[in-house]
């Protein structure tokens, strides 16, 4: 892979990677670091990556780096922090996008990642399986469980409005 081809990949996929990572961790600086680490790793392995699978490689690498960061941060957070009423909302605020993002934040990391890849980024189940390293059936299970939780958490759309 030439420098020009590499730069083309950066131009094509950097924004999508950043958006995916940012939706998962809600920290711009960490998201930028993860995307940068992804492209550094891609540069180091640019000759080994099949040009047809660059997108999958980049999302897989960023997903694994994201999981590493999330796990590291979970170990560093205080155990005593408990969010009261984490499964209910009491506010009358009706910005549906904000409410949905708050609900997505309640999901476990794996469910959150597959739902964002499927519903926000538009990946197929087999592509999500390649990116996350899960089986396709496990991806479907996580998406089902995540959507079921979101449905329970949010209740009906009419109640939110």
């Amino acid at each position: 892979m030439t420098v020009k081809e590499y730069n083309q990949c950066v131009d094509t996929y950097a924004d999508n990677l950043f958006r995916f990572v940012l939706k998962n961790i809600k920290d711009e600086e960490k998201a930028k670091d993860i995307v940068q680490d992804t492209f550094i790793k891609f540069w180091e392995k640019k000759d080994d990556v099949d040009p047809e699978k660059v997108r999958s490689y980049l999302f897989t690498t960023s997903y694994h780096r994201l999981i590493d960061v999330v796990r590291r941060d979970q170990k560093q957070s205080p155990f005593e922090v408990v969010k009261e009423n984490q499964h209910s909302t009491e506010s009358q605020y009706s910005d549906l996008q904000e409410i949905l993002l708050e609900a997505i934040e309640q999901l476990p990391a794996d469910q959150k990642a597959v739902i964002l890849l499927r519903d926000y980024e538009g990946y197929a189940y087999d592509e999500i399986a390649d990116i996350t390293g899960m089986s396709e059936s496990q991806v479907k299970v996580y998406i089902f469980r995540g959507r079921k939780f979101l449905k329970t958490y949010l209740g009906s759309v009419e109640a939110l409005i």
Side-chain angles (χ1 to χ4, degrees), residues 117-133:
L117 284 170
R118 177 71 178 166
D119 296 334
Y120 278 85
E121 298 296 329
Y123 283 96
Y125 293 118
D126 59 331
E127 291 175 315
I128 297 170
D130 288 341
I131 290 169
T132 60

Side-chain angles (χ1 to χ4, degrees), residues 48 87 95 99:
D48 300 333
H87 294 295
D95 184 8
I99 293 170

